[in-house]
C-alpha cells in the first residue's frame, strides 16, 4: 500500500533525480537476480541503504529478508512512496557493522562509498566482506562528465577550492534550495573515486561498467566475499 502523504512531501529536486535514476536502478536489481540465483529469497543487507532505492526496482527483484543499515534514519534512508516504509533501518556508528561474521548471504552498497571519508573507505569494504558471503558495491564513475549528486558538468574534475564555489551554480542548489550550511557539508562529504582507487579496495572482484549514452556512468564491483 502506498502512502500518498509521503509522495506529497517529496521535493522537486528529489522527483527529478529519482525519476532519472530509476532506469539504472531497475537494471541493477535485475543484475542482482541474474548473478545470484534465488536472490530474492536470501538474507540481504543494504549498507548505507535507502528504502527509495528498492522502491525503484521491479517488485520481483526485491528480497523478502532485507535489512538496511545507515548512519542515520533521515532523508537518505526514507521511503519516497510509502510502499517500503515498513522496512527497518538499523543505525550504526559508520565503522563496524553491528552484525556477526557472515550474517548475510548478500550485501549491497549503492552510491555510498563516495560519501565516506577516504581514510575510512577500505574499512567499509572490509566490513561488507566480513558480514556477507557475496557483495555488490557500486559508485559513480569519475570519468563521467556529469557529477551525479549535483547534476553539474565537470564539477568533480575541478580543483576542490574552485568546485566549492561552482556548486552554488548547480541545478541541485537551485532546485533543492539548501541552506549555506548544508551546501558546505554536502559538498565536503562527496568525493568521486577514480577507477584505480575503487578497484584497490577489492582487487579480486569482478568489474561491471554501467553505461549512459555510450559513456561509463558508474562502476560495480562484485564477487564472493573474502574469508
Amino acid at each position: 500500500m502506498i502512502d500518498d502523504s509521503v509522495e506529497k512531501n517529496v521535493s522537486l529536486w528529489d522527483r527529478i533525480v529519482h525519476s532519472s535514476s530509476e532506469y539504472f536502478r531497475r537494471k541493477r536489481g535485475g543484475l542482482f537476480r541474474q548473478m545470484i540465483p534465488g536472490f530474492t529469497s536470501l538474507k540481504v543487507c543494504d549498507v548505507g541503504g535507502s528504502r527509495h532505492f528498492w522502491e525503484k526496482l521491479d517488485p520481483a527483484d526485491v528480497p523478502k529478508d532485507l535489512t538496511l543499515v545507515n548512519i542515520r534514519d533521515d532523508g537518505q534512508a526514507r521511503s519516497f512512496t510509502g510502499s517500503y516504509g515498513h522496512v527497518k533501518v538499523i543505525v550504526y556508528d559508520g565503522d563496524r557493522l553491528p552484525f556477526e561474521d557472515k550474517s548475510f548471504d548478500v550485501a549491497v552498497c549503492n552510491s555510498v562509498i563516495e560519501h565516506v571519508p577516504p581514510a575510512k573507505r577500505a574499512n567499509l569494504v572490509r566490513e561488507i566482506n566480513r558480514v556477507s558471503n557475496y557483495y555488490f558495491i557500486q559508485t559513480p564513475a569519475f570519468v563521467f562528465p556529469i557529477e551525479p549528486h549535483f547534476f553539474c558538468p565537470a564539477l568533480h574534475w575541478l580543483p576542490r577550492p574552485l568546485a566549492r564555489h561552482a556548486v552554488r551554480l548547480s541545478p541541485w542548489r537551485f532546485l533543492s534550495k539548501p541552506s549555506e550550511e548544508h551546501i558546505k557539508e554536502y559538498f565536503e562529504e562527496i568525493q568521486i573515486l577514480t577507477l584505480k582507487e575503487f578497484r584497490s579496495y577489492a582487487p579480486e572482484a569482478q568489474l561491471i561498467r554501467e553505461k549512459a549514452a555510450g559513456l561509463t556512468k558508474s562502476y560495480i564491483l562484485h564477487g564472493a566475499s573474502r574469508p
Side-chain angles (χ1 to χ4, degrees), residues 194-207:
T194 64
L195 178 58
K196 180 179 180 180
E197 180 191 354
F198 189 42
R199 293 219 68 164
S200 72
Y201 299 126
E204 75 288 346
Q206 300 179 61
L207 174 69

Side-chain angles (χ1 to χ4, degrees), residues 215-227:
L215 302 174
T216 299
K217 174 186 174 291
S218 62
Y219 302 114
I220 300 173
L221 291 176
H222 70 99
S225 300
R226 296 187 292 269

Side-chain angles (χ1 to χ4, degrees), residues 58-158:
D58 186 319
D61 293 331
V62 179
K64 297 176 179 62
D65 188 345
L66 175 63
T67 301
L68 309 184
V69 186
N70 216 313
I71 59 172
R72 51 188 173 267
D73 191 355
D74 62 357
Q76 294 300 318
R78 73 179 182 218
S79 167
F80 278 6
T81 68
S83 56
Y84 286 98
H86 66 283
V87 175
K88 183 172 71 170
V89 175
I90 294 178
V91 177
Y92 85 118
D93 62 8
D95 290 319
R96 181 175 175 83
L97 291 169
F99 309 108
E100 297 296 326
D101 295 359
K102 307 306 177 189
S103 293
F104 297 92
D105 298 304
V106 184
V108 299
C109 184
N110 292 284
S111 294
V112 171
I113 194 169
E114 71 273 13
H115 295 261
V116 175
K120 293 189 173 185
R121 290 172 177 173
N123 178 69
L124 173 66
V125 177
R126 281 195 298 268
E127 282 293 284
I128 289 171
N129 271 272
R130 181 181 66 79
V131 303
S132 70
N133 291 307
Y134 201 97
Y135 63 86
F136 294 88
I137 306 174
Q138 180 269 347
T139 194
F142 185 82
V143 296
F144 194 67
I146 306 296
E147 205 293 334
H149 302 86
F150 305 106
F151 272 29
C152 191
L155 181 72
H156 53 307
W157 296 346
L158 297 175

Side-chain angles (χ1 to χ4, degrees), residues 11-18 76 78 115 146-153 155 163-190:
S11 69
L12 175 60
W13 170 255
D14 287 331
R15 290 175 189 272
I16 292 172
V17 170
H18 290 280
Q76 294 300 318
R78 73 179 182 218
H115 295 261
I146 306 296
E147 205 293 334
H149 302 86
F150 305 106
F151 272 29
C152 191
L155 181 72
R164 195 172 286 112
H165 294 288
V167 73
R168 288 173 166 78
L169 302 176
S170 68
W172 168 77
R173 188 246 173 167
F174 288 112
L175 291 174
S176 67
K177 304 184 186 306
S179 66
E180 283 298 311
E181 182 180 3
H182 183 56
I183 292 173
K184 180 180 178 180
E185 289 179 352
Y186 194 48
F187 175 80
E188 297 300 336
E189 172 184 305
I190 298 167

